[in-house]
Amino acid sequence: MSPNYQNENDYWREQLLGVNKNGFLADSLPSKETTGSGWCQLDLPTKTAKEILYMSNGSLKGVFIILLAGIRYLLGRYTRN
């Protein structure tokens, strides 16, 4: 681990100290059932899947948001937007 990473990690841990860790805001919103939705199967390496689950604090909605952010990032890169 680089010293720069450790400094940034320490900084953000201090900034976020005391923040209520209840997962993502979307977890507290009422669920809206929709029709016409689909699904997509995605096979991720076990390590990557565990890291995403950890980042989402075990929230399935959080996993969705993280994966959606990744897709949006890639689309932006490929379309130069």
Side-chain angles (χ1 to χ4, degrees):
M1 202 171 350
S2 73
N4 190 33
Y5 170 82
Q6 191 60 47
N7 290 339
E8 288 183 24
N9 188 25
D10 292 343
Y11 170 81
W12 284 109
R13 286 187 180 274
E14 184 177 323
Q15 294 300 310
L16 298 172
L17 191 65
V19 172
N20 192 358
K21 188 179 176 188
N22 286 335
F24 287 88
L25 175 62
D27 289 339
S28 61
L29 300 175
S31 176
K32 293 182 181 177
E33 296 296 323
T34 60
T35 60
S37 61
W39 61 275
C40 175
Q41 182 173 340
L42 178 65
D43 295 322
L44 295 173
T46 302
K47 181 180 177 190
T48 304
K50 285 182 180 180
E51 288 174 357
I52 291 172
L53 195 57
Y54 174 77
M55 287 171 40
S56 71
N57 197 27
S59 162
L60 293 180
K61 290 178 184 176
V63 170
F64 174 77
I65 291 169
I66 290 168
L67 293 175
L68 189 60
I71 291 168
R72 185 174 180 191
Y73 171 79
L74 288 174
L75 287 173
R77 293 265 309 195
Y78 284 112
T79 61
R80 295 189 175 119
N81 287 329

